[in-house]
Amino acid sequence: MLYLYSPEQQDHYHHLLQEALPDWSIACWPQEINAEAVTHVVAWKPPVNFFSRFSNLQVIFTLGAGVDKFLQRDDIPEHVTIIRLTDAGMAQQMTEYALYGLLHFQRKMDIYRSQQQNTVWQPQPTRLAKDTRVTILGLGHLGVHVAQTLAGLGYPVSGWSRHPRNIEHVRCVHGCDALGSLLQETDVLFSILPSTDETQHLLDAKHLALLPKDAALINAGRGTLLDEDALLNLLNQQHLRFVLLDVFASEPLPAAHPFWRHPAVMITPHVAADTIPEEAVAQIAANIQALASGHPVQGQVDRQRGY
Ligand code: NAP
Ligand code: GLV
């Protein structure tokens, strides 16, 4: 039996899953069921101890790409396989988000907005795409799509990952030792890194200060990446010109947080790339079939690695 936890779109997901998996018995939270019969769960942000009741659980399919919250739980036994979404319609959205922030900065919409508030008619010097160096932190399913699209638009694009990568028209560098010099050569830094022990506060005061003066930062990966106090300090020193943030250490961002009112910060409420139910279910159904026939699945999480 497959059990579904997605309170906000329960009926829609139930319908799609049943259509894609006609031979499966599918139940939805909070329906009372024989928990021992459940072998597969599809879920996003389930409550504490949700998984404890499923003594025969084999596989969890997450309805998102980031699995940090799943890996922090203590109700998922080691033998249970966790499979996340890979792209499933998110790469295109993530690319649009990155492009929006990039254009806002490169075409000086932040400056014109502030000029408009003061009725100032003052053209700013033109900055071309070829003179705007973009660095993508994270070259996974989402980062690669962003990097290739921006490179295709004429931006000089660099990408950073843990392992060596080879992507056409993108300068690929990897490993911690390479990060410092990469940041020094970046005008717009876009992060789409997962939250892991290694990426926690990776952008601390030391690393952020390496970005050139008047650079921009866009974070759509996870909020744990940033030392938020260090970022505020740099913003207050007017070292960075523009910051677009979709993810935060604490979500929803508390009302008293200084980011809300900072003139150089633009905030979105964790919406950079939404899960598309049709694409998610198609991927889950394909993976269930792959598991049943002994073929490799897409998106199996490596718990040691943390993503
Ligand atoms: P992915 O395919 O697993 O890719 C992760 C990338 O990050 C890989 O290139 C990996 O390097 C790199 N990486 C991980 N740890 C690193 C480290 N310590 N140093 C350098 N590079 C490191 O993940 P994805 O599907 O692209 O998704 C990325 C993240 O986006 C998710 O984990 C989630 O947090 C976030 N997300 C946000 C939203 C939103 O709406 N804001 C939506 C979807 C996803 P290797 O290639 O060397 O393994
Ligand atoms: C959203 O943040 C996701 O990880 O899918």
Side-chain angles (χ1 to χ4, degrees), residues 81-260:
T81 302
I82 302 176
I83 300 179
R84 69 186 189 90
L85 295 179
T86 52
D87 183 354
M90 285 186 266
Q92 167 75 19
Q93 297 174 69
M94 200 49 91
T95 303
E96 291 163 2
Y97 190 87
L99 185 59
Y100 175 84
L102 169 56
L103 288 173
H104 190 89
F105 168 78
Q106 178 213 339
R107 297 306 305 259
K108 305 187 178 163
M109 295 303 169
D110 53 338
I111 298 176
Y112 291 125
R113 181 81 193 139
S114 134
Q115 288 187 183
Q116 183 180 340
Q117 277 156 0
N118 298 300
T119 57
V120 174
W121 180 277
Q122 178 61 58
Q124 298 290 327
T126 297
R127 177 178 207 160
L128 299 178
K130 74 177 178 58
D131 301 320
T132 309
R133 300 163 298 176
V134 181
T135 293
I136 316 285
L137 300 182
L139 290 173
H141 288 85
L142 305 183
V144 166
H145 193 272
V146 178
Q148 286 181 319
T149 307
L150 298 184
L153 289 173
Y155 295 93
V157 178
S158 301
W160 187 70
S161 54
R162 259 179 10 128
H163 307 95
R165 300 294 304 266
N166 193 358
I167 304 165
E168 205 177 0
H169 306 306
V170 176
R171 179 173 71 125
C172 295
V173 294
H174 67 278
C176 281
D177 293 347
L179 183 62
S181 52
L182 187 59
L183 294 174
Q184 287 175 312
E185 297 161 10
T186 297
D187 298 311
V188 177
L189 182 65
F190 174 70
S191 177
I192 186 63
L193 285 167
S195 176
T196 67
D197 290 348
E198 282 180 32
T199 61
Q200 169 97 17
H201 279 201
L202 180 76
L203 292 186
D204 56 7
K206 185 188 88 182
H207 276 134
L208 285 169
L210 292 174
L211 288 166
K213 182 161 163 38
D214 285 335
L217 165 68
I218 306 167
N219 186 20
R222 284 290 184 264
T224 51
L225 175 81
L226 274 173
D227 178 339
E228 293 183 347
D229 291 337
L231 177 60
L232 265 172
N233 274 338
L234 271 193
L235 283 166
N236 291 336
Q237 292 160 25
Q238 297 185 334
H239 184 84
L240 297 180
R241 196 186 94 204
F242 172 64
V243 173
L244 170 59
L245 300 173
D246 187 54
V247 287
F248 302 87
S250 173
E251 295 182 8
L253 185 65
H257 200 293
F259 281 161
W260 279 114

Side-chain angles (χ1 to χ4, degrees), residues 44 63-66 90 221-222 270 273 275:
W44 190 243
L63 288 173
M90 285 186 266
R222 284 290 184 264
H270 201 140
T275 296

